Structures are given as C-alpha cells and as structure tokens.
Amino acid sequence: MTPEEHRFNALVLMFANLQRLMVFHNAIAVSEGREIDSQLREELTSRLDLVGGALQRSSENAAVSDADVDAVQPVADYLQREIRAYFETKLDGDLGAQAALGAGVVYAASYLNDGTVQMGQVFDRPHWVDREMQSKPMLITLRNRANAAVASAATGEVSAEVRGDIDYHVRVALGDRQLVLAQVDGLPTMLQGRDARENVGA
C-alpha cells in the first residue's frame, strides 16, 4: 500500500471501530431497557462526524490532508482506550452483553467492508472492490441476525438458533481481539503513511 492508502485505511479503521462502539453501547442500553447515555452518544457521534468528514474530503482528493491527520489524531488515543474496554466486557451469564459484543463485531466488519470498497474506488484498486463486494450479502445477513439477537436477549426470549448466533458472534469477536487491538495501536503509524506492522517489527 502507498502512504496515502495507509492514511486512508487509518480513517476507515477509525470509522469502523467507532461504529463498533456505537452499536455495542446502543445494544447494551437496549438489553437494559434504557436509552444510551446522552454524553456517551455525543462523544461517539462527534468523533464519527469528524472521521466521516475526513473520509469524504479524502475521497474527493484521493489524499488525506495534514489538517485532517492532525484533527483525527485524538481519535486514535480514544479508540486505543475504548476498544480495550469493549473487549473487557464481562460476559458470564449475561446474554445482553454477549449479544451486544457480537453485534459490535458484525457492524465493525460491515463498515470496514464498505470503507475498503470506498478505498478501492478512490485509489483505483478494482480487486479490492470486487473482493469486498462479494462479502456484502453475507454481512447484511449477519447484521440482521445480530439485530435479532440483541432484541431477543432484551426480552429474554432466546431460541436455540439465536443462542447459537450469539455464541458464534462472541467467538468471532474474541478471536479477533489481538488483530483489532494491533490495528488501533497502529493507527498513529498509519496516519503517518506507514505500515502499522512496523510497530511489531514486521
């Protein structure tokens, strides 16, 4: 990947992980029969707007500006902290928390897919677009099933099928933990236009 692609990819990863957190906290609120905390919603919404605006400008210019890099730097610190907290969610016996964690990973994958398609279009990488477009139908199905799992966990009426979905999504989330943490830890490096794997000597 080129330096511009690394910077753009950092924005895509930021947006996907902010969506992971938004979906997770919304789902936790649903499971507890309440609205998401207004301050938390504002924290996430403002950061999503910031990164989304940078993505739009970067798509139009096929480059991430220095001003946008500076503006989103604090989001990297935020994600390094909050994604760790997401993975430390207490899951034992709490179907609502399990469904929320699983919904977070499904939506993050979906937004990452969309962002990779966008990146492929911006930087003329048709093979990225083709590959990710093939995954779209499956991701739509997974999102629907994750939504159903959150709703079922909230009511306490969880079928064997839904329980299986929750278990599967939690396994995927926990299996992705090291990769996701490496990605968020690598965001500052990527924003400099470098491969995040440099951080681990790759």
Side-chain angles (χ1 to χ4, degrees), residues 46-202:
S46 63
R47 288 171 172 83
L48 280 165
D49 289 345
L50 176 66
V51 176
L55 273 169
Q56 182 176 347
R57 288 185 292 275
S58 302
S59 295
E60 293 167 354
N61 300 318
V64 183
S65 71
D66 290 342
D68 277 330
V69 168
D70 291 343
V72 303
Q73 286 281 1
V75 179
D77 296 335
Y78 178 83
L79 286 171
Q80 287 166 3
R81 180 180 71 250
E82 295 300 321
I83 293 297
R84 278 177 168 77
Y86 161 84
F87 281 116
E88 291 167 4
T89 301
K90 301 299 183 186
L91 300 175
D92 292 346
D94 189 339
L95 277 180
Q98 293 171 28
L101 189 86
V105 75
V106 168
Y107 273 83
S110 182
Y111 280 101
L112 182 58
N113 177 273
D114 290 343
T116 304
V117 169
Q118 184 178 358
M119 186 164 62
Q121 292 168 337
V122 169
F123 294 104
D124 193 24
R125 302 278 194 167
H127 58 290
W128 292 355
V129 177
D130 292 344
R131 181 189 64 215
E132 298 303 319
M133 289 299 291
Q134 292 175 27
S135 301
K136 270 192 170 297
M138 176 192 69
L139 288 166
I140 291 170
T141 298
L142 288 173
R143 282 170 56 164
N144 291 338
R145 294 176 80 98
N147 290 338
V150 169
S152 295
T155 64
E157 298 175 1
V158 180
S159 67
E161 181 181 17
V162 169
R163 177 74 226 213
D165 286 341
I166 293 173
D167 289 345
Y168 172 70
H169 294 155
V170 168
R171 284 197 305 273
V172 171
L174 297 180
D176 284 349
R177 182 178 187 275
Q178 291 305 317
L179 172 62
V180 174
L181 291 178
Q183 288 172 337
V184 297
D185 286 345
L187 287 171
T189 301
M190 295 170 69
L191 286 170
Q192 295 171 12
R194 293 160 39 214
D195 192 327
R197 290 173 295 183
E198 293 176 18
N199 286 351
V200 291

